[in-house]
Amino acid sequence: MSRRTSAELHFVEHGEGVPVLALHGWTPDHRLMSGCLEPVFAGRRGYRRLYPDLPGMGRSAAPDDIASSDDVLSAVQDFVDETIGDAPFLLVGESYGGYLARGLARSRPEQVLGLALICPTGTAVEQADRTCPEHRVLRPDPDLVGSLEPRLAEEFTEIAVVQSAETLRRFQDEIMSGLDLADRTAMARIRQRWVLTTDPESGPAYQRPALILAGRQDSVVGYVDQFALLPHYPRASFAVLDVAGHNLQFEQPELFDALVREWLDRVAAESWSAC
């Protein structure tokens, strides 16, 4: 099969078994996904977790032919062809990665066994069109924030709903580490054509087990535009978590882990016998 792009995606892989492809959001890298998903899979065998860096992010370069979200999705399609092939797989996406994941599920509905979306970009793609609450800090820690160097303090407090030593640690390990690697020139080029040409929800409804997680205080993508996705995902559990913003996965880690495990159980209950 001929490649769609010239992009080669750096990735990290763990485990063996049914593939699980995890797509991170805009600007960070694969650690955003491995950081929240590896604890979930720690007690589960039989899954091969694939964590790529999207083009222009992490250690994946964005050649000149990557100039839109369509091109980024094409690079992900190439990655699937080369690392998974025709095998069935599970798909997880966070924020912008959730937007791409829906596009991928639209093009491979029979191959994607289950779809999980974490604070995904919803029906409104552009920031100006989104329905989002104002940023609120529900668990402040002014002493912690005051101890940080200015750039880290700015990045952390911009979207944090829970300010604690643990959320700061995970922000540094899973998000800030990727922000420092992003190719801003390439991302600006892609950002000019950010909306996918084909709406992910324009085709037939996705009929496999799904999960949509949203933060009640998410000031980046909100939760209202995600609720509007439900008609297209009739098998989706939809949860809006309080005391959670765009960093839902580590602001409400116990609920996050429980809901993702329940999604895995639903997928396993009806998929393995058909594989």
Side-chain angles (χ1 to χ4, degrees):
M1 180 179 296
S2 60
R3 298 186 101 256
R4 300 165 182 82
T5 74
S6 62
E8 298 284 350
L9 301 189
H10 168 264
F11 69 101
V12 171
E13 178 177 349
H14 299 293
E16 298 179 349
V18 177
V20 181
L21 175 62
L23 304 178
H24 63 79
W26 187 251
T27 311
D29 64 12
H30 71 275
R31 285 170 285 191
L32 178 65
M33 304 308 291
S34 60
C36 66
L37 292 179
E38 282 305 292
V40 173
F41 286 106
R44 289 177 179 253
R45 295 182 178 180
Y47 294 93
R48 176 191 176 208
R49 288 92 66 195
L50 297 164
Y51 301 105
D53 291 338
L54 295 174
M57 291 163 260
R59 292 173 58 188
S60 292
D64 290 343
D65 63 344
I66 303 295
S68 67
S69 287
D70 285 338
D71 296 330
V72 174
L73 182 56
S74 291
V76 174
Q77 296 274 21
D78 288 339
F79 180 81
V80 172
D81 289 341
E82 294 169 3
T83 61
I84 298 175
D86 295 330
F89 67 96
L90 281 69
L91 182 57
V92 186
E94 192 271 349
S95 193
Y96 175 72
Y99 182 44
L100 297 176
R102 283 154 42 210
L104 188 62
R106 182 191 183 280
S107 67
R108 299 175 184 249
E110 299 305 318
Q111 190 177 2
V112 177
L113 295 173
L115 176 67
L117 306 173
I118 307 163
C119 298
T121 299
T123 52
V125 181
E126 295 290 357
Q127 184 71 49
D129 299 328
R130 298 173 185 172
T131 303
C132 299
E134 293 186 4
H135 179 225
R136 294 179 62 196
V137 181
L138 297 182
R139 305 278 170 82
D141 189 335
D143 292 336
L144 175 70
V145 172
S147 70
L148 305 178
E149 57 89 11
R151 179 169 177 259
L152 176 57
E154 179 182 4
E155 295 283 1
F156 177 60
T157 59
E158 184 177 14
I159 60 174
V161 172
V162 178
Q163 298 175 353
S164 69
E166 177 61 10
T167 59
L168 174 63
R169 180 191 69 79
R170 291 193 61 176
F171 177 82
Q172 289 179 288
D173 291 348
E174 299 169 24
I175 298 178
M176 194 72 181
S177 55
L179 300 185
D180 292 335
L181 297 177
D183 181 343
R184 303 290 175 166
T185 299
M187 295 182 69
R189 182 175 69 244
I190 297 166
R191 189 64 180 81
Q192 295 301 308
R193 299 174 181 83
W194 215 35
V195 178
L196 291 169
T197 301
T198 302
D199 185 336
E201 283 71 52
S202 62
Y206 177 77
Q207 300 290 346
R208 295 274 180 71
L211 174 66
I212 303 173
L213 298 179
R216 188 66 174 81
Q217 289 80 34
D218 190 332
S219 58
V220 178
V221 299
Y223 62 91
V224 174
D225 299 330
Q226 289 72 22
F227 183 79
L229 295 172
L230 288 182
H232 190 77
Y233 301 94
R235 297 291 312 285
S237 292
F238 179 67
V240 182
L241 306 187
D242 187 34
V243 195
H246 204 53
N247 295 331
L248 174 152
Q249 68 275 14
F250 56 76
E251 291 184 330
Q252 287 283 11
E254 293 83 5
L255 284 173
F256 174 83
D257 289 0
L259 288 164
V260 173
R261 289 188 180 109
E262 190 278 335
W263 168 70
L264 290 171
D265 289 342
R266 281 191 287 133
V267 175
E270 58 190 74
S271 296
W272 289 183
S273 60
C275 294

